[in-house]
């Protein structure tokens, strides 16, 4: 068997394991976990044991080295059962794990990455600040060098898992305020570091993950905790975010897929005017339309990840995934909720929770406007402007 065939076989068995876990463990408790408001660390360790965390990360740190498309497919399969776990596995473990593996000093990677892949540790990303997130390069948090250490002061807000994570990749300015992206460096800050405090927000959705603020009151980290070169952190680390945009796309497709499947089942059982709901084109056509839109976006996400795995440019495609997927998933899931009539409007219905969960990623990791800016910039750049 060629190594490529072996990889396909491994991915097949992982997808099967992820699908089973999604159907048997995630989906039945999706609503209950919304109220628990925490990632379940036992479940995360189980995912680690099944090999579902960091399938695209290097084998030397516990990953399987399977490529980003494989990572995206696992995220999609898990999001079918619970959008939050799909997002955690793909947009946190894979994305932040890759940032560490590619840019952090080896000792730091060794200290944190294997635990992330085993499902024992949680890592968050601190970029957004109270003054703004879209213009991320204008951040104000400062890191001042003091001998062989950096002292970080400032505030990060809207940070996923702020109150749960064991450590954070944090962006801070090491250059002048005018230096924009060129003066930003990235650091790893363990959650227990003196001077770091955190809060939790009361959000619309994604309660399992949650968001909050991080306050840095002269937080000291050794220079070995710098990720990437000084002043280059923004550029180096942001290179991982094209993958995340396609990953978010697949996570949204997974959630929409679950609502569509449930709704086809429902309309094939319930009757009105003497026939199954499915026989009314007014009921089945909006779902058929949703099928087509979700499948088109799913294929765009796969294509984007294939381009990435082939080392080809994919920034435009990644922004398209992020522009279309959360919004379309929201619209399709909303249609599924409506197709359930009054039952859909209950908090016992998973559709309302999926709508709330996917809506967060219409904002998180860059809004639709920012994605359109990226697409327009890449298109005009290609014309030499
Ligand atoms: C669920 C969720 C999870 C998140 N997780 C994290 C995380 O883990 N770490 C982290 O660092 N951040 C995180 N964020 C923050 C997120 O990345 C920012 O909210 C996002 O980048 C937008 O920034 P902002 O909220 O400050 O909006 P602003 O930048 O203030 O923008 C407000 C509005 O104006 C629009 N706008 C801004 N500039 C322009 C322009 N030039 N042209 C047109 N329209 C414009 C925006 O599209 C938006 O609609 C998360 C957010 C959410 C909702």
């Amino acid at each position: 068997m060629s190594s490529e065939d072996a990889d396909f076989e491994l991915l097949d068995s992982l997808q099967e394991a992820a699908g089973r876990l999604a159907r048997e463990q995630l989906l039945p408790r999706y609503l209950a976990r919304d109220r628990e408001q925490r990632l379940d660390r036992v479940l995360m360790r189980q995912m680690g044991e099944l090999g579902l965390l960091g399938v695209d990360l290097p084998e030397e740190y516990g990953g399987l080295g399977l490529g980003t498309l494989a990572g995206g497919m696992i995220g999609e399969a898990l999001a079918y059962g619970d959008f939050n776990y799909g997002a955690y596995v793909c947009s946190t473990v894979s994305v932040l794990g890759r940032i560490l593996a590619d840019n952090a000093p080896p000792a730091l990677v060794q200290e944190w990455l294997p635990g992330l892949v085993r499902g024992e540790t949680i890592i968050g990303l601190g970029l957004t600040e109270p003054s703004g997130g879209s213009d991320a390069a204008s951040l104000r948090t400062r890191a001042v060098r003091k001998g062989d250490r950096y002292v970080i002061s400032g505030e990060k807000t809207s940070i996923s898992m702020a109150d749960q994570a064991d450590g954070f990749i944090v962006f801070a300015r090491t250059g002048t305020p005018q230096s924009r992206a060129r003066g930003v460096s990235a650091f790893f800050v363990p959650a227990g570091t003196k001077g770091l405090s955190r809060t939790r927000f009361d959000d619309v959705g994604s309660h399992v993950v949650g968001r909050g603020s991080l306050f840095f009151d002269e937080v000291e980290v050794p220079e070995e905790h710098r990720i990437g070169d000084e002043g280059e952190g923004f550029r180096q680390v942001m290179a991982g975010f094209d993958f995340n945009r396609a990953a978010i796309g697949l996570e949204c497709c997974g959630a929409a897929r679950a609502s569509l499947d449930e709704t086809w089942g429902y309309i094939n059982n319930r009757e009105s005017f003497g026939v199954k709901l499915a026989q009314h084109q007014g009921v089945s056509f909006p779902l058929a339309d949703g099928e087509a839109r979700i499948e088109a976006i799913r294929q765009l996400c796969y294509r984007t990840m294939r381009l990435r795995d082939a080392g080809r440019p994919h920034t435009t495609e990644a922004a398209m995934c992020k522009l279309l997927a959360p919004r379309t998933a929201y619209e399709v899931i909303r249609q599924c909720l409506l197709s359930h009539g009054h039952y859909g409007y209950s908090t016992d219905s998973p559709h309302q929770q999926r709508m709330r969960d996917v809506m967060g990623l219409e904002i998180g990791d860059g809004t639709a406007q920012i994605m359109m800016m990226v697409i327009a910039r890449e298109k005009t750049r290609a014309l030499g402007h």
Side-chain angles (χ1 to χ4, degrees):
M1 188 191 287
S2 72
S3 75
E4 209 169 77
D5 286 344
D7 281 357
F8 276 129
E9 212 164 274
L10 178 57
L11 178 56
D12 268 354
S13 71
L14 288 167
Q15 265 188 299
E16 163 67 25
R20 201 172 333 109
L21 188 110
R23 285 188 309 276
E24 293 174 5
Q25 283 182 260
L26 294 178
L27 198 51
R29 295 204 68 251
Y30 179 51
L31 292 164
R33 272 191 303 273
D34 197 47
R35 292 185 276 276
E36 288 163 12
Q37 309 218 336
R38 298 204 79 69
L39 283 160
D40 179 343
R41 293 204 182 224
V42 175
L43 198 51
M44 283 163 54
R45 272 197 289 276
Q46 191 187 339
M47 289 182 191
E49 279 161 20
L50 287 169
L52 301 178
L53 302 181
V55 298
D56 48 330
L57 295 176
E59 289 168 84
E60 58 188 302
Y61 300 116
L64 297 172
L66 284 182
T68 56
L69 178 59
M73 286 173 159
I74 300 301
E76 180 189 7
L78 293 172
Y80 187 94
D82 186 329
F83 178 74
N84 298 290
Y85 281 88
Y88 177 74
V89 168
C90 213
S91 295
T92 296
V93 177
S94 288
V95 172
L96 302 191
R98 173 61 59 187
I99 288 172
L100 285 176
D102 288 351
N103 302 289
L108 188 67
V109 185
Q110 200 57 58
E111 190 183 344
W112 287 91
L113 191 47
L116 186 69
V117 173
R118 285 196 298 268
E120 291 166 3
T121 44
I122 299 175
I123 292 176
L125 181 94
L127 175 62
T128 304
E129 300 193 350
S131 56
S134 300
D135 185 12
S138 68
L139 62 86
R140 296 173 186 176
T141 295
R142 289 203 57 79
V144 178
R145 197 185 250 281
K146 198 165 120 191
D148 60 356
R149 305 182 76 74
Y150 287 92
V151 182
I152 304 174
S153 304
E155 181 181 340
K156 297 287 171 185
T157 196
S158 183
I159 308 307
S160 295
M161 302 164 298
D163 67 332
Q164 303 189 59
D166 304 297
F168 298 93
I169 295 171
V170 175
F171 292 84
R173 188 163 298 288
T174 43
T176 63
Q178 296 75 33
S179 56
R180 300 265 314 156
R182 286 258 161 225
V184 174
S185 304
F187 300 91
F188 191 85
V189 183
T193 310
K194 188 166 166 269
L196 172 62
S197 54
R198 42 203 181 144
T199 59
R200 184 184 172 104
F201 300 164
D202 187 9
D203 270 348
V204 171
S206 278
H207 294 149
V208 165
V209 172
R211 290 181 310 143
S213 288
L214 304 176
F215 302 94
F216 297 83
D217 181 8
E218 304 207 329
V219 172
E220 283 193 25
V221 291
E223 70 180 332
E224 295 78 28
H225 277 209
R226 198 186 65 229
I227 301 169
D229 302 325
E230 187 169 301
E232 291 295 318
F234 196 77
R235 196 179 53 79
Q236 289 169 336
V237 170
M238 290 313 261
F241 275 75
D242 282 342
F243 164 65
N244 199 27
R245 290 174 181 163
I248 288 171
L250 287 177
E251 293 150 20
C252 291
C253 288
R257 176 78 267 140
S259 277
L260 282 166
D261 286 353
E262 289 160 5
T263 309
W264 284 117
Y266 184 77
I267 67 168
N268 266 316
N269 279 313
R270 191 173 172 84
E271 293 186 357
S272 80
F273 299 92
V275 294
K276 305 272 189 223
L277 286 181
Q279 286 175 263
H280 301 299
Q281 291 183 342
V283 179
S284 61
F285 277 17
L287 296 188
D289 180 63
E291 289 284 345
R293 292 161 75 200
I294 290 298
E295 185 57 22
I297 291 169
R298 183 169 170 253
Q299 295 303 329
L300 175 64
C301 297
Y302 285 176
R303 176 175 149 70
T304 304
M305 289 186 170
R306 281 196 195 98
L307 287 172
R308 184 175 181 88
D309 284 336
R312 293 173 58 192
H314 56 286
T315 299
T316 309
E317 289 79 2
M320 290 174 178
C321 298
K322 178 65 175 63
L323 170 66
L324 295 176
R327 182 173 73 203
T328 308
Y330 180 90
E331 290 167 1
V332 169
I333 296 166
R334 175 178 171 275
Q335 183 56 54
C336 291
L337 183 152
L338 297 178
S339 303
H340 281 77
H342 74 91
Y343 291 114
Y345 194 59
S346 163
T347 54
D348 289 338
S349 143
H351 312 294
Q352 50 81 25
Q353 188 178 330
R354 289 196 192 105
M355 277 170 66
R356 291 187 282 110
D357 285 357
V358 301
M359 187 210 280
L361 286 177
E362 287 196 63
I363 305 166
D365 196 51
T367 61
Q369 285 85 352
I370 300 308
M371 295 309 121
M372 288 188 266
M373 275 170 64
V374 172
I375 296 166
R377 185 193 65 206
E378 293 296 310
K379 287 290 170 193
T380 49
R381 181 183 292 167
L383 295 170
H385 297 295

